[in-house]
Amino acid sequence: MSRKIVVGFDGSDASIRALDFAISRAQAQGDNILIAHVLEWSPYSFLTPSEVEERHRRRKEELQRAEAAILTPMVKRVEDAGIPCATTLRYGHIAETLCRIAKDEGAAMIFIGRMGDSGFASRIFGSVAATLAQVAPVPVVIVP
């Protein structure tokens, strides 16, 4: 029985390394891959009705651009390796949204790339990798 692997993907070199590692694991274990791209977005702002309409239009354009520029080329990469692949594109807090996707999809694991930033900002605010390692409902593979 094949499992589903969620790969958090943002187009960075780190996320490409995570996807490539997930591809190698999926080939070895007969798993499927779900590439998840999360656009950071906060619902906590006060907007006028015209601003809400404009924001909705911009969100739709962002989703279309992300699908075409980020996800579609990676689906081909995964399928060329002989692995069934799907995508999901969502707005929200990255770590929370990846956890929700993994739970909703019944995923066995989450793969993400690590950017290597260990600076002051990541110590204060944390990182996606650190957050996922602490709260994910499934094992998390952090690829350096």
Side-chain angles (χ1 to χ4, degrees):
M1 181 173 168
S2 70
R3 302 174 308 164
K4 188 175 289 185
I5 296 172
V6 172
V7 179
F9 192 85
D10 64 4
S12 67
D13 289 342
S15 67
I16 291 172
R17 288 191 305 272
L19 180 62
D20 287 341
F21 189 66
I23 289 170
S24 69
R25 297 293 75 210
Q27 285 173 325
Q29 299 171 355
D31 294 335
N32 299 326
I33 291 179
L34 174 66
I35 303 172
H37 182 69
V38 180
L39 296 163
E40 194 85 49
W41 179 72
S42 171
Y44 304 109
S45 62
F46 300 100
L47 303 172
T48 66
S50 63
E51 289 171 327
V52 169
E53 185 177 319
E54 175 64 21
R55 191 174 196 184
H56 178 70
R57 186 188 61 73
R58 282 195 320 262
R59 283 181 64 189
K60 190 173 181 180
E61 289 172 359
E62 285 177 341
L63 290 169
Q64 290 169 341
R65 277 195 311 270
E67 180 73 35
I70 296 172
L71 295 179
T72 300
M74 293 303 110
V75 169
K76 180 168 177 17
R77 184 182 193 128
V78 174
E79 289 176 344
D80 286 350
I83 300 162
C85 183
T87 64
T88 186
L89 189 55
R90 308 245 182 112
Y91 271 95
H93 179 273
I94 296 170
E96 289 174 10
T97 304
L98 288 174
C99 287
R100 193 172 318 110
I101 290 167
K103 195 177 223 179
D104 292 348
E105 294 288 332
M109 299 168 67
I110 300 172
F111 283 62
I112 59 162
R114 181 178 52 85
M115 298 298 263
D117 182 18
S118 60
F120 182 72
S122 67
R123 278 181 273 174
I124 297 295
F125 300 111
S127 68
V128 171
T131 302
L132 279 173
Q134 294 176 34
V135 302
V138 296
V140 176
V141 176
I142 302 170
V143 179

